[in-house]
Amino acid sequence: MNIENLQIEKSDLRKLLGSGSPDAAMLYLYIRCGNDPDRAESELGMTATRNACAAATLRQLGLWPEEVHTAFLPGERPSYTERDVIAAMDSSDDSFKMLCSEVQRLLGKCLNTEEMKILLSFVRYLGLPVEVISVLVSYCKDRQHQRGSRYNPSLRSIEKEAYRWAEQGIDTLESAAAYIHEQNIRHTQMGQLMNLLQIHGRNLTPAEERYALSWLDMGFDQEVLAAAYERTCLNTGRLSWQYMNKILQSWNENGIKTADQLKNTDQRNSEKSSRRQLDADEQAAIAKMLQGV
């Protein structure tokens, strides 16, 4: 097993620490050392399930060495007919019929023909296994309730998430579990950020959510986000998303992610400012002396 030439990007390290998965971290190190992922299970002494979960976590974190997944466009999916739905329901393996029953149970409603056509596209066009589709529907239902809605999601809204899963290669229970775990972490982080920004009793607008997600993707500590918010309020008198975004973009470009890095930067800037003031005072004193000569 090769253990040489190991280099870890700070952004990768932050993702691994945030995932809370020791197996994913171990598998990442194994792969980054140039070892064959197909031999990881035996060489690392992992069970097949542990290895699959670790690999799925790395995929969700964008740390798995693989090709880009196919992009699926909703407008390009085949146009299924009522006859297609009936044939799938009457199939000998009963998998589609059981899927429809499970989705109806999760959503608390009977599916109409058009909704069954959408469900059929998940299976035939996107190639998602029925057990993964069940997890997908349950995830979308939980996410909508987390956002404060009393209603279950529609199949149309679930369809958007299904395409996202297919594009990201989420087609096993392990990869679905890793994705949901990652999204739960992100949901917690978003809640912490909203509390920090003193946003209560409402959801973020789409524009606000784009800002917030970009800040989370940059990997700032909560202390750094709090400092950016405080400086924004001091300089503008309110929460200005554009102003705070400029601060955080500048810090991100200068590699400032943690409270210690920000403190050191502020200290260096303060020292530079003090030296400039001293230089200005000296020049003023010299000019005054020359005037008296």
Side-chain angles (χ1 to χ4, degrees):
M1 178 167 48
N2 180 25
I3 59 173
E4 299 180 357
N5 304 321
L6 176 62
Q7 295 181 348
I8 304 177
E9 299 291 337
K10 289 184 179 179
S11 58
D12 290 0
L13 184 59
R14 287 180 176 278
K15 290 179 180 179
L16 289 169
L17 293 175
S19 72
S21 172
D23 283 345
M26 182 167 59
L27 182 58
Y28 170 85
L29 295 175
Y30 175 85
I31 294 173
R32 286 303 301 268
C33 285
N35 298 294
D36 184 358
D38 292 335
R39 302 181 59 183
E41 183 179 326
S42 60
E43 293 197 349
L44 296 178
M46 288 185 179
T47 63
T49 300
R50 285 178 57 197
N51 183 63
C53 289
T57 298
L58 293 183
R59 287 189 177 95
Q60 295 311 312
L61 296 175
L63 301 179
W64 185 260
E66 60 184 355
E67 69 281 358
V68 178
H69 293 289
T70 303
F72 294 88
L73 300 178
E76 293 184 354
R77 69 173 171 85
S79 179
Y80 296 104
T81 66
E82 184 175 350
R83 180 174 297 180
D84 293 325
V85 172
I86 294 174
M89 292 289 285
D90 292 340
S91 176
S92 59
D93 64 5
D94 287 336
S95 60
F96 186 71
K97 181 186 294 186
M98 293 176 64
L99 174 63
C100 289
S101 297
E102 176 64 10
V103 172
Q104 288 180 147
R105 184 189 68 81
L106 288 170
L107 298 183
K109 57 174 288 187
C110 291
L111 301 180
N112 58 39
T113 303
E114 291 304 314
E115 290 171 328
M116 288 184 179
K117 290 178 183 178
I118 294 175
L119 207 56
L120 187 60
S121 73
F122 295 175
V123 178
R124 292 189 177 177
Y125 179 57
L126 299 183
L128 296 176
V130 292
E131 63 270 16
V132 172
I133 296 173
S134 296
V135 174
L136 164 70
V137 174
S138 181
Y139 164 74
C140 291
K141 175 182 175 181
D142 292 342
R143 186 178 63 172
Q144 181 147 318
H145 291 174
Q146 287 174 349
R147 291 177 172 176
S149 175
R150 295 181 295 121
Y151 304 102
N152 290 329
S154 66
L155 257 296
R156 283 296 181 189
S157 64
I158 295 173
E159 183 180 31
K160 296 179 182 178
E161 187 69 17
Y163 275 84
R164 185 177 296 113
W165 283 35
E167 289 174 354
Q168 296 185 19
I170 305 173
D171 54 7
T172 65
L173 292 177
E174 292 83 6
S175 59
Y179 175 81
I180 293 173
H181 176 68
E182 180 69 17
Q183 292 304 306
N184 287 339
I185 292 176
R186 178 57 61 89
H187 177 76
T188 299
Q189 292 173 334
M190 183 65 78
Q192 293 172 341
L193 177 58
M194 290 178 66
N195 285 334
L196 186 152
L197 300 178
Q198 300 184 44
I199 298 175
H200 307 289
R202 72 172 181 86
N203 294 323
L204 298 180
T205 67
E208 291 172 341
E209 187 171 4
R210 285 193 293 271
Y211 276 124
L213 288 174
S214 70
W215 300 344
L216 294 179
D217 288 338
M218 291 178 191
F220 295 110
D221 283 354
Q222 283 291 312
E223 294 86 347
V224 175
L225 292 171
Y229 173 63
E230 181 179 2
R231 297 181 191 194
T232 297
C233 291
L234 286 174
N235 292 328
T236 68
R238 60 186 177 86
L239 168 58
S240 169
W241 291 88
Q242 290 183 339
Y243 191 92
M244 184 169 172
N245 188 55
K246 289 181 179 179
I247 292 176
L248 291 173
Q249 283 185 331
S250 174
W251 289 351
N252 183 56
E253 291 171 0
N254 289 281
I256 301 172
K257 305 285 187 175
T258 68
D260 288 340
Q261 290 172 337
L262 179 59
K263 181 180 178 180
N264 292 335
T265 300
D266 286 344
Q267 185 174 354
R268 288 194 299 270
N269 290 338
S270 178
E271 291 172 352
K272 289 179 181 179
S273 178
S274 298
R275 285 197 296 270
R276 284 197 296 268
Q277 185 60 48
L278 287 173
D279 291 342
D281 292 343
E282 285 184 5
Q283 291 176 3
I286 293 173
K288 186 174 183 180
M289 289 175 59
L290 292 175
Q291 289 176 356
V293 175

